[in-house]
């Protein structure tokens, strides 16, 4: 099974820092205009959130795996709740590569696999080198086309 690029941990940590900072600003505004909060609570809460985010990013990277099997894309992920997902190629509708601004800055991309169905009809594989993301997108497209041809009635 293939793992994600190690730089995805940086992406996840940056996301946690941004989210913790937004919560810190909200706590500051609450302190300023509503209820008085000790500054150590606000700063301490921010530090705890960032540390938990770092631990989560490291654990998630160790667990996250994917594999192109004979008839399906298989994914293993989840820190607290482990999720094993098998996406039959015949269910694949289309495949995209995406690169947000932070991903571009650290040289990563994601592959989004859209499947037939309504609930959870897309799967994202984050933390890939752009070349690998493009290659994976093309492989998935070809496998989906092949499975569609063999699944025809």
């Amino acid at each position: 099974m293939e793992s994600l690029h190690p730089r995805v941990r940086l992406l996840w940590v940056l996301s946690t820092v941004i989210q913790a900072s937004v919560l810190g600003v909200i706590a500051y505004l609450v302190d300023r205009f509503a209820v008085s909060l000790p500054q150590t609570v606000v700063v301490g809460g921010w530090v705890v959130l960032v540390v938990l985010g770092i631990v989560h990013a490291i654990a998630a990277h160790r667990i996250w795996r994917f594999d192109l099997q004979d008839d399906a894309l298989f994914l293993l992920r989840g820190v607290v709740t482990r999720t094993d997902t098998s996406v039959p190629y015949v269910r694949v509708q289309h495949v995209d590569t995406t690169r947000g601004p932070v991903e571009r800055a650290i040289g990563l991309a994601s592959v989004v696999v859209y499947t037939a169905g309504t609930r959870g009809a897309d799967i994202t594989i984050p933390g890939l080198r752009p070349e690998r993301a493009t290659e994976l997108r093309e492989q998935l497209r070809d496998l989906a086309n092949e499975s569609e041809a063999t699944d025809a009635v």
Side-chain angles (χ1 to χ4, degrees):
M1 294 190 80
E2 189 173 339
S3 61
L4 305 179
H5 194 283
R7 274 185 282 180
V8 75
R9 294 177 294 202
L10 177 60
L11 178 68
W12 290 337
V13 167
L14 287 173
S15 175
T16 298
V17 168
I18 291 168
Q19 292 171 8
S21 297
V22 168
L23 289 174
V25 167
I26 291 170
Y28 170 77
L29 293 173
V30 167
D31 175 53
R32 181 99 165 111
F33 298 110
V35 180
S36 180
L37 297 171
Q39 194 171 21
T40 55
V41 170
V42 174
V43 173
W46 185 87
V47 169
V48 167
L49 287 175
V50 169
V51 168
L52 287 174
I54 292 169
V55 170
H56 184 269
I58 292 168
H61 180 259
R62 286 185 180 169
I63 295 164
W64 232 112
R65 300 279 183 272
F66 69 94
D67 189 29
L68 297 177
Q69 298 178 341
D70 291 336
D71 61 345
L73 168 65
F74 184 75
L75 301 107
L76 174 63
R77 60 202 190 279
V79 175
V80 177
T81 302
R82 297 280 168 93
T83 303
D84 297 353
T85 304
S86 180
V87 180
Y89 299 130
V90 72
R91 303 281 294 168
V92 173
Q93 297 293 307
H94 68 281
V95 186
D96 292 338
T97 55
T98 62
R99 297 186 73 200
V102 178
E103 285 177 307
R104 284 192 306 270
I106 60 176
L108 293 177
S110 296
V111 171
V112 183
V113 180
Y114 296 91
T115 61
T118 56
R119 188 186 74 81
D122 64 322
I123 306 273
T124 300
I125 303 172
L128 301 171
R129 288 178 292 101
E131 304 81 29
R132 177 60 181 131
T134 300
E135 176 186 321
L136 181 59
R137 182 192 68 215
E138 298 303 316
Q139 286 177 307
L140 286 167
R141 186 200 63 207
D142 292 344
L143 289 165
N145 286 337
E146 289 171 17
S147 68
E148 187 176 285
T150 60
D151 191 50
V153 177

